[in-house]
Every structure is written in structure tokens, then in C-alpha cells.
């Protein structure tokens, strides 16, 4: 056999007839997440050389993640979504082997999860996958702690908290929710999947009292796309681990390979040790370049934004009242049907109120292409084409 020649990514997709895209939209799963760090890829390849007992590896990896992130305990999951299924299973079955084996049939165990209506969002059905049911409280735009307390019954297994730009502004803080939950002996299950960076958030939500917090490993941490992890209290992390793959049970389809575990650890080490400020400055400079390229177009308001809704600096575009061109969605569609295909992000809310460019996945040499194409399509739109 001859030496195998290293293949390029382009040759692999070309062979399949799949067209590449420029990802200026951010780490969304549908546009292939984020680019795994080279350290993660190297660790995955190296890990493929050895065999281990997966329970031992998962326990050790959990301890390492806890150490790196500054938390009491942690465990690996298949994405943040997988973490939500595990959270629900842990809340219902805890460490009871019979209950663990019984799920998703919840007969005889507390199985309701209280969720504020303003915390409902597109992925929350994962909480139901293990067999639980929601008890919804409040209104889409607000909720009171008394309403939550009134909803607690012997059937309650846990209280859900969402931290995300998807969330509407609601009145109950995580700290308040956690105090209430703990006074009833219940856990707070938090989905904070995309709230990184800043890395200080790795301890923020556990610090505010959440018992289990789910994060993605495949977004800005830039580990393997399919990874995630839970951090939290030792007791609840142990329940989570017992309810998680590779153990038999309702989460068995969510297994994570030893290579992915090693890749996640390597990525997390880098994510927590790099110069976050320098990286932010660099993203800001890139986004300022985009702003400069399109700011003069009539009807366009564009700014670099870095806040709760924008985890790293984004170039955010809104249309002024005098904008006569197509909608945000139409502009985004024109970007992705152009050559080359460029994906940008349109506001999740309906109707959309803004669109933006996310620099996380823009590779060397692509920024100019993104700017040029965005400029061209916005100018066409502004002139009524
Ligand atoms: C991205 C995201 C998820 C899903 O995370 P994966 O790691 O892709 O499974 C879940 N919840 C929220 C709020 C998210 O932003």
C-alpha cells in the first residue's frame, strides 16, 4: 500500500457534490457549528490509539472539566441538547436504578418540570424526551416568584431556567428561582448552551444557584460539534452521570466517543486560557471593517454590538424607516444563493428586527469576500432591486 495522501476538506465535499459555504452566521448546527480547534483535532486522533473503560474516562474527564471551569463537578454530554435530556432524567430518577431503567415511563415518580412561559424556546422539547411534562407558569413576557411557588406540587421534579438571547425579559432571577427550588428540595436545571464567551459565565450560573447547567462544546469553545457538558453540584452531576450514556437507559442514543471527550477537554483548556480580551479586540476590528463597508448605504443602520444578545462582537444591521428594499430574510437568502454562498444570521424573533455578521467562523481571506458581497446585495436592495 502506498502512503495515503492527506485529503483536503474541499476534495471530500466535492467528491460528494456538496457545495461549501462561508459561515458568517455563527456556530449554528445547521451550518456546521464551529471550526474545531487544532488542539481538539490532534487530541481526537491521539485518543483513537487507546482503549479505556468508559466509566473511568467519563469520571476523570468530568473532574478535569470541573477543575478547568472552576466548578464543584461536571460531566460530558452529547451537545447541550443531550445535556437537557440528562438533566430531566436526573431530576426524575436520581440514583434509583429501577427508575433509571423505567424512563421514559414516569409512573410513580415526580415528573413535572416547571418552566416560565418566557423561557419556552425551540429546543426545550429535549426536556420532555426522558418522559417529563412541563408545568407552564406566567406569561410570555413576565412571571412572578409566587406564581412559580404556587405551581410546585408533589409531582414536581425540577425547575427550568433558560439563559439565552432567545429568552424574553422575565422578572424572576436565577438566584430567586434557586432559593425557592432549594427550599422545596428541588433542583434548578439551567440551559446556558450558548452563553460563552465570556468564560466567566462558566461559574456565573452555578454561582447563582443552578444545580445543573448545560453548555455546548461545539459552539465558541470549538470542541467537537457533537459535544457538550453539564456543570453543577456534586450530587446532581452524579445523578446526571448515572442517567447518561453509555449506561443503558433513555439517553443511550446520546453516546459520546472517547475521541470526542478528549477533543472537548483539549478545546476547553484552550478556551479557558487564551487571551479573551485580545480575541475580542480582533473580532471587533473585523466587524468594524464590515461596518465601514456598508455604513454609507441609504437606509442602513449598522453597529458593532457586544452584549447579552451578542456573545462576541457582531456587525448588526437594522433598516431605517426609509428602507425600501427587501426584508432581512430576503437579504439573507440572496447572500446564500450568491456565489460563493455566504450565511449571515437573521434575528430569531418573528418578524425579524435585525440581522448580523458573526466573525467566529470567518476564515482567513474570507472577511473581504463577506464584506464585498454584503455591500453589493445591500446596495441592490437599497436601490429597489
Ligand atoms: C445551541 C443551543 C442549544 C443546543 O446546543 P447543542 O450543543 O447544539 O446541542 C440548546 N439550548 C440553547 C439555548 C442553545 O443556544
Amino acid at each position: 500500500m502506498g502512503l495515503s495522501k492527506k485529503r483536503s476538506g474541499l476534495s471530500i465535499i466535492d467528491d460528494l457534490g456538496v457545495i461549501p459555504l462561508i459561515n458568517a452566521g455563527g456556530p449554528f448546527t445547521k451550518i456546521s457549528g464551529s471550526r474545531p480547534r487544532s488542539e481538539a483535532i490532534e487530541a481526537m486522533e491521539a485518543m483513537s490509539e487507546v482503549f479505556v473503560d468508559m466509566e473511568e474516562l467519563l469520571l476523570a474527564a468530568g473532574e478535569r472539566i470541573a477543575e478547568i471551569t472552576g466548578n464543584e463537578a461536571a460531566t460530558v454530554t452529547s451537545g447541550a441538547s443531550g445535556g437537557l435530556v440528562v438533566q430531566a432524567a436526573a431530576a426524575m430518577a436520581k440514583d434509583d436504578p429501577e427508575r433509571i431503567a423505567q424512563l421514559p415511563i414516569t409512573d410513580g415518580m415526580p415528573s413535572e418540570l416547571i418552566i416560565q412561559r418566557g423561557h419556552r424556546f425551540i429546543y426545550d422539547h429535549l426536556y420532555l424526551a426522558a418522559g417529563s411534562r412541563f408545568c407552564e407558569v406566567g406569561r410570555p413576557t413576565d412571571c412572578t416568584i409566587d406564581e412559580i411557588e404556587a405551581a410546585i406540587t408533589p409531582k414536581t421534579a425540577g425547575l427550568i431556567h433558560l439563559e439565552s438571547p432567545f429568552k424574553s425579559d422575565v422578572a424572576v432571577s436565577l438566584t430567586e428561582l434557586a432559593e425557592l427550588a432549594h427550599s422545596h428540595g428541588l433542583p434548578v436545571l439551567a440551559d446556558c448552551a450558548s452563553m460563552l464567551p465570556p468564560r466567566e459565565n462558566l461559574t456565573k450560573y452555578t454561582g447563582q444557584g443552578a444545580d445543573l447547567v448545560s453548555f455546548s462544546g461545539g459552539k465558541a469553545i470549538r470542541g467537537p460539534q457533537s459535544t457538550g457538558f453539564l456543570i453543577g453540584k456534586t450530587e446532581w452531576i452524579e445523578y446526571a452521570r448515572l442517567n447518561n450514556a453509555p449506561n443503558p437507559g433513555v439517553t443511550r442514543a446520546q453516546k459520546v466517543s472517547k475521541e470526542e471527550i478528549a477533543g472537548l477537554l483539549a478545546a476547553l483548556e484552550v478556551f479557558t486560557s487564551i487571551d479573551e480580551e485580545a480575541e475580542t479586540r480582533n473580532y471587533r476590528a473585523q466587524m468594524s471593517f464590515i461596518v465601514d463597508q456598508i455604513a454609507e448605504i441609504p437606509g442602513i443602520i449598522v453597529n458593532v454590538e457586544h452584549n447579552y444578545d451578542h456573545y462576541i462582537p457582531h456587525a448588526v444591521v437594522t433598516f431605517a424607516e426609509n428602507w425600501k428594499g427587501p426584508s432581512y430574510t430576503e437579504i439573507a437568502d440572496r447572500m446564500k444563493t450568491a456565489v460563493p454562498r455566504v450565511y449571515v444570521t437573521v434575528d430569531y424573533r418573528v418578524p425579524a428586527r435585525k440581522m448580523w455578521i458573526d466573525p467566529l467562523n470567518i476564515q482567513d481571506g474570507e472577511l473581504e469576500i463577506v464584506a464585498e458581497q454584503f455591500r453589493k446585495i445591500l446596495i441592490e436592495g437599497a436601490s429597489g432591486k
Side-chain angles (χ1 to χ4, degrees), residues 329-381:
T329 311
E330 173 65 24
I331 295 284
D333 285 346
R334 289 182 186 190
M335 293 285 287
K336 62 182 155 186
T337 47
V339 180
R341 303 158 94 187
V342 177
Y343 279 63
V344 300
T345 296
V346 174
D347 190 11
Y348 325 108
R349 298 165 183 97
V350 182
R353 284 176 285 180
K354 56 183 176 178
M355 66 192 305
W356 63 87
I357 305 264
D358 179 323
L360 184 75
N361 289 319
I362 297 179
Q363 305 298 302
D364 288 348
E366 291 180 345
L367 187 68
E368 293 72 16
I369 300 170
V370 172
E372 193 185 331
Q373 186 158 310
F374 204 27
R375 179 179 158 79
K376 181 165 162 270
I377 285 170
L378 287 172
I379 289 175
E380 278 171 13

Side-chain angles (χ1 to χ4, degrees), residues 67-197:
E67 210 177 284
I68 299 173
T69 61
N71 283 284
E72 214 177 283
T75 197
V76 177
T77 60
S78 63
S81 308
L84 305 187
V85 185
V86 176
Q87 284 184 350
M92 293 186 289
K94 298 187 179 172
D95 57 354
D96 180 333
E98 279 169 31
R99 286 184 172 185
I100 293 172
Q102 187 186 312
L103 291 178
I105 295 165
T106 60
D107 298 353
M109 64 180 106
S111 60
E112 281 185 8
L113 300 177
I114 295 177
I115 185 167
Q116 299 166 63
R117 285 201 168 78
H119 287 232
R120 293 295 317 267
F121 77 109
I122 50 171
Y123 297 147
D124 64 15
H125 286 74
L126 275 306
Y127 278 118
L128 308 179
S132 35
R133 289 291 171 266
F134 287 144
C135 169
E136 290 185 80
V137 291
R139 293 145 302 281
T141 48
D142 78 304
C143 184
T144 67
I145 194 78
D146 293 342
E147 286 173 309
I148 298 175
E149 179 149 39
I152 296 176
T153 72
K155 284 194 253 166
T156 308
L159 276 62
I160 291 172
H161 178 87
L162 171 68
E163 209 52 70
S164 163
F166 293 112
K167 182 179 74 170
S168 60
D169 296 329
V170 284
V172 179
S173 72
L174 175 54
T175 316
E176 245 183 316
L177 188 77
E179 266 171 32
L180 174 66
H182 297 156
S183 73
H184 289 266
L186 294 166
V188 170
L189 314 175
D191 178 0
C192 306
S194 66
M195 300 307 286
L196 299 170

